[in-house]
Amino acid sequence: EQLLSEAEQALGSAQYLRVMDLLDEAAAIAELGEGPMALRDQATVALEYLREERDLFDQGDWEYALPGLWRMHENNPDNPDVIRLMIDSYYNLGLRDLQRGDAPSALEKFQEALALTEGDAELERLASFAAAYSQRSADMLYRIFVKYQKFR
């Protein structure tokens, strides 16, 4: 019930990607009824303009999704779904750079994401990690830490 309530609030504030995530969490707990499915339908329709960018994101082609997202962001800088996809794209690109052992490049991606948001503790933690390893070579701690990080 808490997740469904949060999904309704997210729908009211035009955070359609959050609606989808909350409904997915709720569906993992119990089968969704007609009301929640109607919420999902509303969010799906509202996200239609982001279909191409979401498809690229879901395929792991984050760098190809970003130019379109930036154009959308310039036209509507307060759109929470566009901002979220941009942040998550930069996050994933930075994590991929860390996995490849390129901490300086990862730090650049994390800084781009941090410029778009405040209070993302996970992103801040990875940016600090990348900054620390930009000045030194990867060691066992680096490899272990990076191995268990998950993409968004």
Side-chain angles (χ1 to χ4, degrees):
E1 289 182 22
Q2 175 71 25
L3 292 170
L4 297 178
S5 173
E6 288 179 33
E8 288 176 3
Q9 291 173 0
L11 185 69
S13 61
Q15 296 179 30
Y16 304 112
L17 290 173
R18 180 151 169 72
V19 170
M20 301 297 271
D21 291 343
L22 290 166
L23 292 175
D24 287 344
E25 279 185 64
I29 296 170
E31 188 174 329
L32 298 180
E34 272 186 44
M37 292 308 289
L39 288 177
R40 181 182 301 279
D41 291 342
Q42 288 176 0
T44 300
V45 168
L47 288 169
E48 185 61 31
Y49 72 99
L50 273 175
R51 184 173 34 149
E52 183 178 336
E53 287 77 12
R54 287 179 64 206
D55 288 345
L56 289 169
F57 183 90
D58 292 342
Q59 295 167 13
D61 291 330
W62 309 297
E63 63 276 4
Y64 297 115
L66 280 167
L69 290 169
W70 270 109
R71 282 190 294 278
M72 289 179 195
H73 181 64
E74 288 171 0
N75 292 331
N76 186 0
D78 297 325
N79 185 316
D81 294 320
V82 171
I83 292 170
R84 176 175 164 193
L85 279 178
M86 292 171 69
I87 292 167
D88 289 351
S89 291
Y90 280 119
Y91 177 95
N92 290 343
L93 288 168
L95 182 55
R96 185 174 64 192
D97 286 345
L98 283 178
Q99 290 175 343
R100 293 176 177 168
D102 190 354
S105 181
L107 180 58
E108 290 176 17
K109 308 292 189 322
F110 295 142
Q111 288 172 336
E112 286 284 342
L114 287 170
L116 295 166
T117 188
E118 296 177 358
D120 188 329
E122 187 178 8
L123 179 58
E124 291 171 359
R125 181 172 53 98
L126 282 179
S128 296
F129 181 83
Y133 277 96
S134 291
Q135 305 301 318
R136 60 182 175 181
S137 61
D139 55 14
M140 183 65 75
L141 177 62
Y142 176 99
R143 288 189 292 279
I144 291 170
F145 179 80
V146 169
K147 178 179 180 180
Y148 292 102
Q149 297 304 306
K150 296 193 184 322
F151 290 101
R152 289 184 173 179

